[in-house]
Amino acid sequence: MPILDERHDFAHPIESDSAWSESYYFNAYDPATDTGFFTRLGIRPHEGRMDVGLSVWLPGTDLAVVAGVQPQHEMIDRDLAVAGVRYERLAPMQTWRLTCDAEASIRDLAGGRERRRGRIGMDVTFQALAPAIGSDGQGRGGTGVSAETRRHVGKGHLEQAGRWTGWIEAAGVRHHLVDTRGNRDKSWGPRRWGGPRMWRWFSINLGDHVHLGGIRIGTDAGDLHRGWIWRKGE
């Protein structure tokens, strides 16, 4: 898969499809503190909305969830903030800062406690460990499985591995990230939730020098398979 340049870290031209979306996704996990998160923010200008979801893993079996929606009728690529969650691009294809100060719904995944409300704070910075790998399908129709996938999932996509620093706080307890890696991705094009018959995606980081990812999407035209490996600079 190609390496994408810095311009793809900014907004792309909007097309006429009513489901047009540009979205940002990040994940992280720190085995030293048993904390992590995954989060996605999407802008859907034809629908007049911008939405965010943030799920934070806390030590043990607790999961804290923040979600929100606000009006947004134009495509933007800065001031990405919804419901107390903010994404800030510090250097294209290199550095992002994510912050949160919001009320969350917290549940015990083991079922030992009732669902409850609590305050979640976060200030973390992503530093790229590899280039952004992906493709830009704008201006090309594609054929077969590729064309069907572009109708539902998007026309462009990138993935990038990185290291995280910063902290996550819950119930007044602050967890400083120690040895944290994760991935981010960005997608642009039509996004119809429920469009694919099946969707499986993964990202793996083996230290600072080996990263890999893959996806399988089931469509009426067949299954799309894509994957990549970045190892020691190539």
Side-chain angles (χ1 to χ4, degrees), residues 21 39 52 54 68 82 107 115 132 152 163 183 198 205:
S21 166
T39 180
V52 73
L54 167 66
V82 184
R107 65 188 180 105
R115 190 185 297 263
H152 298 289
R163 176 181 283 277
N183 287 67
M198 178 270 293
N205 298 291

Side-chain angles (χ1 to χ4, degrees), residues 24 41 43 50 76-82 85-87 96:
Y24 303 77
L41 184 149
I43 306 106
M50 178 165 63
I76 58 173
D77 57 18
R78 52 179 51 86
D79 295 327
L80 302 174
V82 184
V85 180
R86 180 179 296 274
Y87 296 3
W96 282 78

Side-chain angles (χ1 to χ4, degrees), residues 115-193:
R115 190 185 297 263
R116 62 198 189 277
R117 303 291 296 179
R119 199 80 187 170
I120 291 293
M122 185 171 78
D123 191 339
V124 295
T125 300
F126 173 94
Q127 185 65 44
L129 291 171
I133 298 171
S135 62
D136 180 16
Q138 280 198 277
R140 304 195 304 272
T143 60
V145 175
S146 178
E148 185 68 14
T149 302
R150 293 180 190 190
R151 291 183 56 244
H152 298 289
V153 178
K155 292 189 172 183
H157 181 79
L158 65 83
E159 298 182 17
Q160 187 174 36
R163 176 181 283 277
W164 291 91
T165 56
W167 52 265
I168 296 171
E169 184 173 298
V173 179
R174 182 167 294 187
H175 308 279
H176 290 273
L177 302 181
V178 176
D179 188 26
T180 310
R181 297 172 188 86
N183 287 67
R184 75 178 188 105
D185 76 35
K186 187 171 187 282
S187 299
W188 53 98
R191 176 60 59 90
R192 293 179 171 86
W193 298 111

Side-chain angles (χ1 to χ4, degrees), residues 159 200-204 212-216 225-228:
E159 298 182 17
R200 299 291 184 271
W201 174 85
F202 70 87
S203 63
I204 299 173
L212 61 151
I215 192 168
R216 179 181 177 185
H225 301 261
R226 294 286 187 272
W228 59 275

